[in-house]
Amino acid sequence: GENVEQHPSTLSVQEGDSAVIKCTYSDSASNYFPWYKQELGKRPQLIIDIRSNVGEKKDQRIAVTLNKTAKHFSLHITETQPEDSAVYFCAASMFSGGYNKLIFGAGTRLAVHP
Amino acid sequence: SAVISQKPSRDICQRGTSLTIQCQVDSQVTMMFWYRQQPGQSLTLIATANQGSEATYESGFVIDKFPISRPNLTFSTLTVSNMSPEDSSIYLCSVPGQPTNEKLFFGSGTQLSVL
């Protein structure tokens, strides 16, 4: 089955710096890779996603890159702000039993210091 | 995205009892997924619930411990049976978005504490 590894587990940056979170996956058949942001006490929220036929996707200050050959994908946040502080989860799709399900990484706790 | 309501939002339960969590969606969906998030941990898929058929459980989760109902296309329940302190977690229902069925959206979660 699919295994998703995520690094680092914690990340501390100064406001305005960039933050990068990396994930690797094991199932070469995975074709969908979302990123979720979870603030304390709240539900995970989808912030950006990428499909396997695309190498990079941007949405304002966040971007995701995908290297299918190496089976890794990354989240990039530029010009970080204190409100970016949260736990970020990557995920990879796994097709099983006739439908796609998501397998999540362990999460990265990002702290942005003013 | 669908509006997903979960009840209860939190509960404190005694060891050995059971709790049923409800998930209501404002639109019809074929699949609903139940996840568990242990304190400070990631999201682990418990089972997938399809309307009209038995739920499909992931490795490490069994129907006797986590029975699931899916009576129609907008509603599902997850029961945590014979609870122990190790069951203390956040339980989240989720549904795929339309039209691609890929994007997953989560309910607000049920914070369960077992004493």
Side-chain angles (χ1 to χ4, degrees):
Chain A
E2 176 72 280
N3 183 48
V4 179
E5 294 194 358
Q6 183 171 348
H7 300 281
S9 57
T10 60
L11 182 58
S12 183
V13 300
Q14 290 298 123
E15 183 176 0
D17 287 350
S18 294
V20 180
I21 303 170
K22 300 182 179 182
C23 289
T24 60
Y25 61 98
S26 60
D27 187 353
S28 55
S30 292
N31 59 9
Y32 175 67
F33 307 92
W35 286 87
Y36 286 81
K37 175 183 180 182
Q38 187 176 31
E39 296 176 66
L40 191 62
K42 302 214 173 152
R43 76 188 80 188
Q45 297 272 17
L46 177 67
I47 56 170
I48 196 167
D49 55 7
I50 192 168
R51 300 202 83 239
S52 58
N53 57 350
V54 175
E56 183 176 359
K57 185 176 177 181
K58 273 188 178 179
D59 184 2
Q60 299 181 23
R61 294 187 298 107
I62 59 173
V64 57
T65 58
L66 171 66
N67 183 327
K68 264 205 91 177
T69 304
K71 289 192 275 189
H72 66 70
F73 56 113
S74 301
L75 178 72
H76 304 252
I77 306 174
T78 59
E79 300 171 31
T80 53
Q81 302 166 3
E83 50 266 38
D84 294 330
S85 297
V87 179
Y88 291 82
F89 293 99
C90 64
S93 64
M94 186 175 95
F95 191 78
S96 173
Y99 52 86
N100 273 318
K101 52 188 178 183
L102 290 183
I103 307 301
F104 286 83
T108 296
R109 185 174 299 278
L110 173 64
V112 181
H113 301 286
Chain B
S1 62
V3 176
I4 310 165
S5 305
Q6 251 184 268
K7 287 196 296 189
S9 58
R10 59 179 64 238
D11 208 340
I12 301 172
C13 300
Q14 295 298 319
R15 179 196 298 260
T17 62
S18 298
L19 176 72
T20 295
I21 302 166
Q22 299 180 6
C23 182
Q24 179 78 52
V25 188
D26 69 343
S27 57
Q28 293 186 338
V29 291
T30 306
M31 291 174 293
M32 294 175 79
F33 301 94
W34 286 98
Y35 280 84
R36 181 176 75 181
Q37 188 173 30
Q38 294 177 298
Q41 302 295 313
S42 185
L43 299 140
T44 302
L45 182 62
I46 298 172
T48 303
N50 286 329
Q51 193 267 335
S53 62
E54 277 202 4
T56 303
Y57 288 82
E58 298 298 307
S59 175
F61 298 96
V62 294
I63 187 171
D64 289 348
K65 176 67 176 176
F66 298 100
I68 287 171
S69 79
R70 185 78 204 274
N72 58 52
L73 290 174
T74 63
F75 187 78
S76 178
T77 67
L78 169 77
T79 298
V80 186
S81 303
N82 188 24
M83 289 184 283
S84 67
E86 293 72 38
D87 295 320
S88 297
S89 293
I90 299 172
Y91 293 85
L92 296 141
C93 70
S94 62
V95 302
Q98 301 297 331
T100 62
N101 274 338
E102 284 175 330
K103 298 177 191 289
L104 202 61
F105 298 97
F106 288 89
S108 50
T110 296
Q111 171 101 52
L112 171 61
S113 298
V114 184
L115 305 178

